[in-house]
């Protein structure tokens, strides 16, 4: 069980008022809030041991290096990677996907097929389109249905010996659907294709076990799981990381440099050119520790309760339609009210202190599927309360009355 009252004490921002109302923060799918344990880690870094890593013999540099590498181990353990060097620090999910897409340019030929799900974030679509332009590979789409589930029969029909890569999110940021990634990975491996799972939306709600999944690449952003922005990790299976060429050239990623020939550093440094977000990486480790202190299972169970409660209340409001009604979903509710533009609802909710997202949620193909311009999205975290759900529902009712 979760002690929400004491958890909320960890998040200074939750005490804010917006337009004279207590903040009700329901935009967690865009970015999560930061507990003081993580904020303290950031302050401690800049107050006490700010230095560049892996380079200096001096004490501060060694302290920073030790903490950064400890964070890598914490994250390795969290996702159950076999080796810490399979955990690459990135600037976030977008960076991780681009790193893999860029690496595959050397491994694909014209006519190779890549499969993408119909419910991806733009960051898991556009890098692959760019890769197809470069290589002549062909992008094919795994369709979804009205409920927001992938059509797995169509997926299986798309797989063949030309399929080289499959990419899909673990949880949809726009619909909340939890995708059957085990089945997706097994199907791809049966035809010899590699799989990248975008875990950006899953990482706040569940603990992915990359070895149990047998996934080839798994990518997350720290800021979706109580860490800072601008840092994330890409997990890659050792054999793939050895096969892929470096993404960027620079300092830190080399073994030896001369004008005749440069050799690359070993993993993970081969993919970590330049000075990284050192403080961010260390704070990411603190965020992972924080979440595990509460327990990912407890978090998931509590968020399910909030989801069920909020869904029931919302559906009592006339004209509400929820997009994403999978039996297997997490605490994200995308909805519209008949006859009202989502933006207008979002603007009134903000006046009442309730923060939600409106728009296409970086997933325009989903909006095209439903033939809508966008939705209002309320996404719940473990620090939200039932009372906040009530406030949100009352605010939606008020918005509806004002706008209709
Ligand atoms: C947030 C998100 C991304 C992008 O993450 P960045 O931190 O902006 O790189 C990608 N995919 C999904 C499913 C997301 O929710």
């Amino acid at each position: 069980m979760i002690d929400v009252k004491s958890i909320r004490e960890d998040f200074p921002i939750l005490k804010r008022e917006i337009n004279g109302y207590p903040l009700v923060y329901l935009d967690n799918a865009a970015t999560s809030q930061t507990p003081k344990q993580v904020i303290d880690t950031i302050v401690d870094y800049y107050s006490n041991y700010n230095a560049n890593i892996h380079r200096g013999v001096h004490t501060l540099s060694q302290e920073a290096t030790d903490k950064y590498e400890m964070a890598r181990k914490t994250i390795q353990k969290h996702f159950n990677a076999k080796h810490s060097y399979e955990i690459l620090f990135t600037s976030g999910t977008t960076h991780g996907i681009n790193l893999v897409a860029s690496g595959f340019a050397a491994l694909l030929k014209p006519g190779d097929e890549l499969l993408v799900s119909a419910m991806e974030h733009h960051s898991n679509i556009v890098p692959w389109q760019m890769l197809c332009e470069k290589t002549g590979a062909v992008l094919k789409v795994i369709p979804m249905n009205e409920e927001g589930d992938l059509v797995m029969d169509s997926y299986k029909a798309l797989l063949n010996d030309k399929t080289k890569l499959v990419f899909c999110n673990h949880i949809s940021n726009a619909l909340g659907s939890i995708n059957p990634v085990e089945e997706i990975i097994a199907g791809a491996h049966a035809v010899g294709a590699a799989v990248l799972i975008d875990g950006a939306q899953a990482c706040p709600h569940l603990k992915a076990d990359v070895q149990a999944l047998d996934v080839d690449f798994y990518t997350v952003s720290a800021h979706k799981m109580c860490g800072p922005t601008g840092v994330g990790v890409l997990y890659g299976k050792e054999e793939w990381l050895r096969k892929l060429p470096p993404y960027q050239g620079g300092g830190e990623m080399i073994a030896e440099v001369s004008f005749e020939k440069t050799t690359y550093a070993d993993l993970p440094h081969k993919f970590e050119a330049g000075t990284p977000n050192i403080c961010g990486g260390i704070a990411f480790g603190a965020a992972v520790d924080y979440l595990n202190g509460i327990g990912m299972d407890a978090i998931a169970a509590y968020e399910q309760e909030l989801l069920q409660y909020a869904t029931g209340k919302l559906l009592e409001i006339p004209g509400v339609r929820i997009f994403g009604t999978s039996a297997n979903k997490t605490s994200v509710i995308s909805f519209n009210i008949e006859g009202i533009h989502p933006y207008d609802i979002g603007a009134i909710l903000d006046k009442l202190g309730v923060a939600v997202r409106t728009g296409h949620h970086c997933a325009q193909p989903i909006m095209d599927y439903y033939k809508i311009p966008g939705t209002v999205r309320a996404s719940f975290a473990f620090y939200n309360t039932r009372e906040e759900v009530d406030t949100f529902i009352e605010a939606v009712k008020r918005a509806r009355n004002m706008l209709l």
Side-chain angles (χ1 to χ4, degrees), residues 29 92-94 121 123 169 171 173 198 200-201 221 223-224:
T93 298
T94 303
H121 189 285
S123 71
N169 56 40
I171 294 181
N173 62 303
D198 167 357
Q201 204 55 234
S221 298
H223 73 93
K224 301 262 170 95

